[in-house]
Structure formats: C-alpha cells, structure tokens
Amino acid sequence: MRRAGTVVGVTQGVAVVRSTDETFPDVGAELVDERLDAVGAVVDVFGPVTRPYLAVSPSSDRAVTRLVGDVVYAR
C-alpha cells in the first residue's frame, strides 16, 4: 500500500485527489483511507506530470464531501 495523495475537492460526485508526486496509481486502481475502508477507484489522471490530479469515482456508500482534506492510499 502506498500513499496516493490528498483529496482536494469534489465535483459532480467525483473526488479530486492531488497526487503526492509523479508516481501515481493507474486508472482502475482502488483507493482506501487510513482505516483501509474503500474510497473508490481512479477513473482519470490529469494535470501536470510532476504532481497530477486523480479523478476518483467514490464507492457507493461513501459521502465524498467528508473526504476533503483526507489522505488516501492505493491498494
């Protein structure tokens, strides 16, 4: 498990995660929080190459607005 980044916002039901560095999870990777609860799956990668943003489709049972500011990890 490695740190994927920090949730910086939510738009149209999709969480936006700012990657920690240039190594980021692939599209389709599952992300979890620090308690290992599923957050969602990466559906897109965009932005600068050095620290891209990840668009994360949340798990159906998660309130994505509560995730803003939280660190997420790739499983």
Side-chain angles (χ1 to χ4, degrees):
M1 190 168 78
R2 64 185 168 107
R3 184 178 181 157
T6 304
V7 180
V8 294
V10 177
T11 182
Q12 298 178 353
V14 175
V16 178
V17 175
R18 180 70 189 244
S19 179
T20 304
D21 54 27
E22 68 276 350
T23 59
F24 53 88
D26 294 329
V27 171
E30 181 184 359
L31 300 184
V32 296
D33 62 14
E34 61 187 18
R35 295 179 310 222
L36 300 180
D37 293 331
V39 170
V42 177
V43 293
D44 195 12
V45 178
F46 59 96
V49 175
T50 55
R51 281 189 67 204
Y53 292 92
L54 311 171
V56 178
S57 177
S59 300
S60 60
D61 59 343
R62 296 292 300 235
V64 291
T65 55
R66 293 183 183 170
L67 295 173
V68 175
D70 289 354
V71 175
V72 292
Y73 302 87
R75 197 175 273 217

